[in-house]
């Protein structure tokens, strides 16, 4: 599904060049659940941005279903994200002035769904994540775990085949963490691919494959070692 | 939920910046609407005043002293009647109507009266048509398109009482007489009565309504009958001219003096000039205020929009990560600007109209009514400014990096 070929991403900072990714090659197949681990600043988020079509590599290529992501136009990449990719963020990134159901409606609205179809689908998804009684609550009226579940419902709105998650349990208490990881596992069991950047060993244990990022280089890490 | 709902909901999240932008736009439109409304209704009042005054230019024999504007024909001096034809044929811009007069003293049943000879319009229309000028279909002067709004309405001139307000009548027989309101009461005369003047018998065609001027005490007959009976020959004492107020204050007097050098031209130019100048100044100033205030409003909106983009960086980044195209983000901001422009323009129109209705009677003594055309101008301009001011902030928002959605973005 995803293929990274000799990808380098370099940043210029105060006259110095920092390589977040250094000639990295990686293959991600269909229906994989991958945990990307590594210390802060190791390039985990950079890799997620590259996979999400939001940051062009300095060199190398990123292929999605055999097609070069960064040879597409900006609008084409945006539409691909809308149709095929779902994002989960550490800080949930809900729009603070929209209710739970309206937040879930956002991707549906961007996809041009009718108001009634948006309502129906968003209610269904919020019920699925156990928030049918919180449809009209603002994010500030929800706990952090509930906010992340709203964000998960939003991720599923356009039924994406790939979910890119950036520290999805980073801000959660143990109970919410478990709920969120169970939901992500459920999404994976439905045939979706999940690529999750995390520091959380508990979260990483839910993955079926683990990758470590060290000094801009990706290496496959045995799950047993990772879990230990 | 559609884009419109998204914009509308976001607008109400930041009421302070919303109200600041709205007030800035509304202020510019308020200034325009208030000043323009007062100016327009003030101009209408001047035109009305000119109508009630009657003639606003007098052509008199040279050497006549103007003691009173309304009794300027009571001096006994004369000038050739052919001046009337000369003026009609000159077709000067601004001349709407000509009313030559000859006043002579007479007696009716031992009561001293002033008999004023007037020339009905049909006479000089026939004369100019005979000379190939085709004035039969065009009122004097108006074929030149000088007046935005005619000073006189000649449509009612077939009614002889129009003499009271329009200084001329369409038709008047050689043995017909029109009486002023006061003299009719004094003589006990009514329509259809016969009166003997200078040895001739006249029929009373009509009695004029009271005008509050010297005309209330006069008798009016055909100019040529008065000339014949008074043995004065083809002369007149005065030619009253109804002119467009703008022209009366402008080049018309020069044109008249050039056409009739051996006459004295009297006008209320100073009054007209002052009022026209004030109106013109107000009108121009209103556009200057409008422009300045809208520029301020535009700067305020641009500043609010830039701040809005900065505040919403992560939110915009998230929307882009979720699939919002740069075009969609641009529309979010320009849509917001459009709502601000329409609302600010509408509010400004209402506020400006109320202000004009309150201040109009106090400042310039005119009653002001709402002018819907200014609503369109106000809203269209305010919207244009708001959208133009938001364009660069919208472009900046659309160019934001979607990676801002990540925690360390």
């Amino acid at each position: 599904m995803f293929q990274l070929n000799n990808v380098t991403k370099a940043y210029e900072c105060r006259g110095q060049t920092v390589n977040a990714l250094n000639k990295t090659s990686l293959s991600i197949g269909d229906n994989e659940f991958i945990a990307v681990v590594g210390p802060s600043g190791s390039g985990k988020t950079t890799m997620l941005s590259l996979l999400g079509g939001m940051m062009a590599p300095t060199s190398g290529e990123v292929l999605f279903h055999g097609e070069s992501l960064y040879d597409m136009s900006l609008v084409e990449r945006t539409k691909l994200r809308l149709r095929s990719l779902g994002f989960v963020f550490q800080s949930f990134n809900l729009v603070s002035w929209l209710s739970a159901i309206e937040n879930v409606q956002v991707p549906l609205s961007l996809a041009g769904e009718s108001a009634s179809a948006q309502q129906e689908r968003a209610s269904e998804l919020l019920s699925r994540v156990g928030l049918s009684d919180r449809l009209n609550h603002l994010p500030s009226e929800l706990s952090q775990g509930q906010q992340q579940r709203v964000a998960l419902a939003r991720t599923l709105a356009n039924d994406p085949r790939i979910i890119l998650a950036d520290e999805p349990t980073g801000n959660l208490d143990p109970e919410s963490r478990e709920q969120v990881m169970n939901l992500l596992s459920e999404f994976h069991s439905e045939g979706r691919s999940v690529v999750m950047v995390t520091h959380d060993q508990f979260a990483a244990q839910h993955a079926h494959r683990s990758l470590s990022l060290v000094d801009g280089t990706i290496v496959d890490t045995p799950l047993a070692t990772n879990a230990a | 939920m559609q884009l419109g709902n998204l914009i509308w909901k976001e607008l109400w999240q930041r009421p302070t910046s919303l109200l600041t932008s709205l007030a800035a736009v509304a202020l510019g439109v308020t200034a325009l609407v208030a000043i323009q409304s007062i100016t327009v209704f003030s101009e209408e009042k001047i035109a009305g005043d000119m109508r009630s005054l009657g003639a606003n230019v007098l052509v008199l024999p040279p050497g006549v002293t103007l003691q009173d504007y309304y009794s300027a024909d009571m001096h006994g001096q004369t000038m050739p009647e052919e001046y009337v034809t000369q003026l009609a044929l000159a077709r000067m811009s601004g001349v709407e109507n000509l009313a030559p007069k000859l006043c002579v003293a007479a007696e009716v049943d031992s009561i001293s009266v002033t008999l004023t000879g007037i020339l009905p319009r049909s006479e000089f229309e026939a004369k100019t048509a005979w000379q190939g000028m085709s004035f039969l279909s065009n009122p004097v002067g108006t074929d030149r398109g000088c007046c935005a709004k005619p000073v006189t309405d000649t449509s009612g001139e077939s009614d002889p009482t129009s003499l009271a307000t329009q200084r001329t009548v369409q038709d008047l027989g050689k043995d017909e007489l029109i009486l002023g309101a006061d003299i009719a009461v004094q003589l006990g005369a009514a329509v259809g009565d016969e009166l003997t003047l200078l040895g001739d018998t006249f029929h009373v065609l009509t009695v004029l309504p009271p005008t509050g001027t010297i005309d209330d005490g006069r008798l009016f007959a055909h100019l040529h009958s008065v000339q014949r009976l008074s043995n004065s020959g083809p002369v007149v004492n005065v030619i009253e001219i109804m002119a467009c107020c703008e022209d009366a204050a402008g080049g018309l007097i020069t044109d008249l003096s050039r056409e009739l050098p051996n006459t004295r031209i009297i006008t209320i130019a100073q009054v007209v000039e002052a009022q026209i100048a004030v109106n013109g100044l107000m009108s121009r100033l209103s556009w200057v205020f409008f422009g300045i205030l809208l520029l301020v409003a535009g700067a305020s909106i641009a500043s609010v929009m830039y701040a809005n983009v900065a505040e919403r960086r992560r939110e915009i980044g998230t929307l882009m990560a979720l699939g919002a195209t740069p075009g969609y983000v641009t529309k979010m901001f320009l849509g917001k600007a459009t709502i601000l422009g329409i609302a600010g323009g509408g509010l400004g129109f209402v506020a400006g109209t109320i202000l004009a209705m309150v201040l109009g009677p106090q400042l310039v003594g005119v009653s002001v009514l709402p002018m819907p055309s200014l609503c369109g101008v106000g809203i269209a301009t305010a919207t244009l400014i708001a959208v133009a001011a938001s364009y660069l902030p919208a472009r900046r928002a659309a160019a934001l990096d979607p990676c801002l959605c990540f925690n360390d973005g």
Side-chain angles (χ1 to χ4, degrees):
Chain A
M1 187 174 53
F2 272 118
Q3 180 72 45
L4 273 66
N5 292 332
N6 281 323
V7 170
T8 296
K9 180 64 192 180
Y11 297 100
E12 290 287 331
C13 185
R14 296 182 187 275
Q16 284 195 317
T17 303
V18 178
N19 283 337
L21 286 177
N22 196 8
K23 293 187 177 173
T24 297
S25 294
L26 174 70
S27 184
I28 299 173
D30 285 339
N31 196 211
E32 283 205 82
F33 193 152
I34 298 175
V36 182
V37 295
S40 291
S42 59
K44 301 189 298 293
T45 303
T46 299
M47 200 183 85
L48 221 51
S49 303
L50 284 165
L51 294 175
M54 296 189 286
M55 181 189 284
T58 309
S59 64
E61 60 179 359
V62 180
L63 303 177
F64 179 71
H65 287 303
E67 197 175 351
S68 174
L69 208 53
Y70 291 95
D71 284 339
M72 294 179 186
S73 70
L74 180 66
V75 173
E76 281 171 339
R77 283 203 305 277
T78 307
K79 287 186 173 164
L80 184 137
R81 274 201 301 276
L82 179 64
R83 282 193 314 269
S84 307
L85 303 180
F87 287 90
V88 184
F89 306 99
Q90 181 178 350
S91 312
F92 329 125
N93 291 23
L94 298 177
V95 180
S96 61
W97 37 272
L98 293 179
S99 65
I101 192 165
E102 288 168 336
N103 265 289
V104 180
Q105 282 177 266
V106 168
L108 296 162
S109 168
L110 293 172
E113 295 287 342
S114 69
S116 59
Q118 288 177 32
Q119 282 278 126
E120 195 179 331
R121 174 87 174 136
S123 300
E124 177 196 315
L125 289 167
L126 285 170
S127 297
R128 181 174 174 183
V129 297
L131 293 172
S132 55
D133 55 343
R134 297 283 190 274
L135 300 185
N136 296 308
H137 285 58
L138 290 172
S140 58
E141 296 162 349
L142 299 171
S143 70
Q144 297 214 310
Q146 287 171 328
Q147 288 185 50
Q148 190 62 302
R149 280 189 279 152
V150 173
L152 286 171
R154 181 180 65 184
T155 303
L156 287 196
N158 287 325
D159 195 17
R161 302 319 300 158
I162 305 117
I163 293 172
L164 302 175
D166 181 30
E167 303 278 10
T169 57
N171 286 353
L172 301 180
D173 59 74
E175 192 186 337
S176 302
R177 201 169 55 158
E178 191 166 346
Q179 283 178 336
V180 166
M181 287 317 301
N182 287 340
L183 282 167
L184 279 175
S185 297
E186 202 177 301
F187 300 164
H188 170 249
S189 66
E190 290 167 354
R192 296 184 182 88
S193 298
V194 178
V195 179
M196 174 178 64
V197 163
T198 185
H199 278 109
D200 183 354
Q201 291 299 318
F202 170 78
Q205 281 170 7
H206 286 75
H208 296 169
R209 182 181 168 195
S210 179
L211 301 172
S212 287
L213 256 172
V214 182
D215 295 333
T217 309
I218 287 180
V219 287
D220 265 291
T221 316
L223 275 170
T225 308
N226 188 38
Chain B
M1 191 179 56
Q2 304 299 344
L3 177 62
N5 307 96
L6 208 63
I7 295 169
W8 187 250
K9 276 182 164 277
E10 197 278 327
L11 262 174
W12 292 103
Q13 290 311 301
R14 295 164 179 89
T16 311
S17 60
L18 165 76
L19 289 175
T20 309
S21 307
L22 212 57
V25 174
L27 203 62
V29 179
T30 300
L32 172 80
V33 171
I35 300 174
Q36 280 289 325
S37 297
I38 292 175
T39 304
V40 166
F41 283 92
S42 173
E43 278 170 0
E44 281 184 9
K45 183 174 182 291
I46 292 175
D49 289 348
M50 300 302 281
R51 275 194 292 277
S52 65
L53 184 65
N56 47 33
V57 180
L58 298 180
V59 179
L60 299 165
V64 169
T65 306
L66 183 70
Q67 295 298 330
D68 182 283
Y69 197 81
Y70 281 104
S71 58
D73 50 358
M74 295 299 289
H75 45 74
Q77 294 188 41
T78 61
M79 57 191 169
E81 185 194 338
E82 69 184 49
Y83 285 2
V84 180
T85 314
Q86 202 174 326
L87 284 179
L89 291 175
R91 305 176 76 185
M92 286 175 199
S93 174
V95 174
E96 277 217 326
N97 218 340
L98 298 173
K101 287 181 177 177
L102 175 64
C103 294
V104 297
E107 281 192 356
V108 179
D109 296 337
S110 305
I111 297 172
S112 293
V113 296
T114 301
L115 177 62
T116 301
I118 57 173
L119 194 62
R121 284 176 64 87
S122 57
E123 297 265 336
F124 54 82
E125 280 174 0
K127 193 174 289 184
T128 51
W130 177 76
Q131 293 188 24
M133 300 307 290
S134 301
F135 270 15
L136 276 169
S137 56
N138 292 321
V140 177
T142 55
D143 61 322
R144 299 279 292 272
C146 69
C147 297
K149 182 176 277 192
V151 174
T152 54
D153 176 9
T154 54
S155 60
E157 279 186 4
S158 54
D159 177 3
T161 58
S162 66
L163 179 65
T165 54
Q166 295 167 13
R167 318 300 293 169
T168 59
V169 290
Q170 184 63 27
D171 295 298
L172 185 63
K174 295 284 169 63
D175 61 346
E176 288 175 333
L177 204 57
I178 295 173
L179 304 185
D182 292 347
I183 196 70
V185 172
Q186 195 180 352
L187 297 175
V191 175
D193 287 357
E194 285 189 353
L195 294 178
T196 304
L197 273 164
L198 301 170
D200 258 24
T201 302
F202 290 85
H203 302 277
V204 176
L205 177 65
T206 190
V207 175
L208 299 176
T211 61
T213 68
I214 200 166
D215 287 352
D216 290 346
R218 289 190 179 186
L219 296 86
F220 298 90
H222 195 290
L223 175 67
H224 296 159
S225 300
V226 176
Q227 287 169 344
R228 177 176 56 80
L229 294 171
S230 62
N231 295 317
S232 52
V235 293
V236 294
N237 293 128
V238 64
I239 303 168
E240 294 181 348
I241 297 176
M242 306 277 287
C244 300
C245 51
E246 294 89 344
D247 293 288
L252 178 61
I253 307 309
T254 312
D255 293 346
L256 285 170
S257 301
R258 194 181 300 122
E259 189 66 33
L260 302 174
N262 296 321
T263 58
R264 182 168 183 210
I265 314 292
I266 302 291
T267 179
I268 53 170
Q270 287 86 351
V271 178
V272 175
E273 267 173 15
Q275 295 205 17
I276 295 293
V278 168
N279 280 339
L281 184 66
M282 280 176 70
S283 181
R284 284 190 295 278
L285 274 180
S286 73
W287 287 105
V288 172
F289 287 148
F290 186 50
I292 292 171
L293 289 172
L294 278 188
L295 279 179
V296 172
S300 161
I301 288 174
S303 152
V304 165
M305 287 291 183
Y306 273 122
N308 195 227
V309 172
E311 277 175 43
R312 298 173 66 193
R313 282 162 58 87
R314 173 164 287 204
E315 179 190 310
I316 294 162
T318 304
L319 288 176
M320 293 173 106
L322 295 176
T325 59
Y328 186 91
V329 175
T330 305
K331 276 186 208 164
M332 269 171 51
F333 283 88
L334 296 187
K336 185 173 170 175
T338 305
I339 292 175
L340 282 176
I342 292 172
L347 278 176
F349 171 73
V350 172
T353 302
I354 292 171
L355 198 65
M357 289 169 88
V358 171
L359 293 182
Q362 292 174 19
L363 294 181
V364 286
V366 296
S367 298
V368 176
L369 295 172
M371 294 178 64
S373 60
L374 288 178
C375 184
V377 172
I379 288 178
T381 317
T383 306
L384 196 70
I385 292 285
V387 169
S390 304
Y391 181 70
L392 289 178
R395 287 285 302 270
R396 176 176 284 189
L400 281 177
D401 185 349
C403 296
L404 289 165
C405 63
F406 293 117
N407 211 34
D408 55 356

